[in-house]
Amino acid sequence: MLTGQIGTIVILVLVLVVGGAGFVAYRVIRNRIRNFTRMAFGSDTITGSFQNMEKMLDVTPKSVSAATSLYLPQILRDFPEFHYDEMKKRAENVLSGYLQGIDAKNVARLKEGTTSELREKLSMKIDALKEENAGEHYKNIKIHRTEIKAYQKRKGRCSIVFQSAVQYYFFRKKDGQVTEGAEDRLVQTRYNVEMIYIQDRDVVENQADSGLAMNCPNCGAPLPGLGAKKCLYCDSPIVEFSIRIWNFSDVVKV
């Protein structure tokens, strides 16, 4: 009988030891988690950490596809008179005007330098909101950074895509009630703004893209580049028509 009591005591001791070790391990792990979440996210709890992460995302600008250093030299070879800083500022103004146009339901917020297609896109967006008795609001718009994302050349047409990191307070209302977003919460996002240069309307509309080859209207010799002002062979001036300028053709959230 004594042997049985000793066995019971040993088992109890082992249970206590294992339980104590488990409790100590639990405390160690819990403290490590707390220390990590406190250092990384400023909170002792997982829930608080997620809330702090959301707050950090609200104020952290999005990254952009920065390919300016790759494409700008190509653009300047084709268009020596291309002014990057000016065009970038125009792209940001078009983006702000587009968002403000949705907010105010007013196409006139889009200034000069935009195509009829972009104005029509904005008009259709506004009409759809009016039909729903809804509104989309973009307040305190701030553009953090804008870079060239892409440069494409097709026959008779070139396009440059700027990408911008943007923040604003966004909320959507329908019948006077907020149905999406929040009036007091920042949103960080990205937009692509495309600008196009049309050198030959007939080529663009009537022929498939097959590279870039512009010819002198007088002698037929190939032009040295899209931005050429005169023919190198016969010195004939290359007249610029109204369609032969950079215009903004699209705004897309990405």
Side-chain angles (χ1 to χ4, degrees):
M1 183 172 179
L2 179 60
T3 302
Q5 291 176 342
I6 293 174
T8 302
I9 293 173
V10 170
I11 293 173
L12 290 174
V13 170
L14 289 174
V15 170
L16 290 174
V17 170
V18 172
F23 178 73
V24 170
Y26 161 76
R27 291 288 300 271
V28 170
I29 294 172
R30 185 190 65 180
N31 290 337
R32 286 181 178 178
I33 292 174
R34 283 182 174 178
N35 290 336
F36 172 78
T37 57
R38 187 184 298 117
M39 288 188 297
F41 308 112
S43 175
D44 289 342
T45 65
I46 298 297
T47 301
S49 296
F50 279 119
Q51 292 174 344
N52 287 342
M53 285 176 62
E54 289 181 352
K55 292 178 181 178
M56 290 171 61
L57 291 175
D58 288 346
V59 298
T60 303
K62 293 283 188 179
S63 60
V64 296
S65 299
T68 302
S69 61
L70 173 64
Y71 290 118
L72 186 56
Q74 299 177 35
I75 295 170
L76 292 175
R77 282 197 297 269
D78 292 334
F79 300 94
E81 298 179 358
F82 183 90
H83 297 288
Y84 170 68
D85 291 335
E86 176 186 344
M87 292 300 186
K88 181 174 73 170
K89 185 63 177 177
R90 287 181 61 195
E92 292 177 345
N93 289 339
V94 167
L95 174 55
S96 296
Y98 185 83
L99 297 176
Q100 291 169 6
I102 297 175
D103 183 280
K105 296 181 181 178
N106 184 358
V107 179
R109 293 298 179 93
L110 270 182
K111 305 299 182 182
E112 50 81 28
T114 55
T115 63
S116 59
E117 288 81 7
L118 182 55
R119 290 190 291 273
E120 179 65 20
K121 179 179 179 179
L122 176 57
S123 179
M124 292 175 63
K125 176 70 173 179
I126 292 171
D127 289 344
L129 289 172
K130 289 180 178 178
E131 288 182 5
E132 292 183 53
N133 193 29
E136 289 186 4
H137 301 284
Y138 302 84
K139 304 299 184 184
N140 298 341
I141 299 168
K142 180 179 179 180
I143 298 176
H144 296 287
R145 182 184 180 188
T146 299
E147 297 283 351
I148 293 175
K149 179 181 184 295
Y151 174 50
Q152 294 183 328
K153 297 188 291 184
R154 299 186 179 92
K155 196 165 186 177
R157 179 185 189 274
C158 289
S159 70
I160 299 173
V161 177
F162 288 94
Q163 187 169 98
S164 296
V166 190
Q167 77 172 32
Y168 43 60
Y169 291 93
F170 168 79
F171 56 97
R172 194 177 197 274
K173 280 188 173 183
K174 184 174 183 180
D175 299 322
Q177 300 295 321
V178 175
T179 59
E180 184 180 347
E183 298 183 40
D184 60 350
R185 183 172 179 178
L186 274 175
V187 173
Q188 303 288 342
T189 187
R190 286 182 295 261
Y191 281 85
N192 286 347
V193 180
E194 182 183 31
M195 63 187 308
I196 60 173
Y197 177 99
I198 303 297
Q199 188 159 24
D200 191 329
R201 177 74 69 183
D202 293 331
V203 170
V204 170
E205 292 180 346
N206 300 325
Q207 296 184 28
D209 292 343
S210 58
L212 194 61
M214 294 291 108
N215 298 325
C216 171
N218 182 51
C219 71
L223 298 178
L226 280 170
K229 301 299 181 183
K230 68 175 183 178
C231 176
L232 294 180
Y233 295 89
C234 68
D235 285 333
S236 296
I238 307 303
V239 180
E240 292 287 335
F241 297 102
S242 60
I243 64 171
R244 297 180 179 180
I245 58 177
W246 289 104
N247 281 302
F248 293 90
S249 60
D250 203 8
V251 174
V252 180
K253 184 179 178 181
V254 293

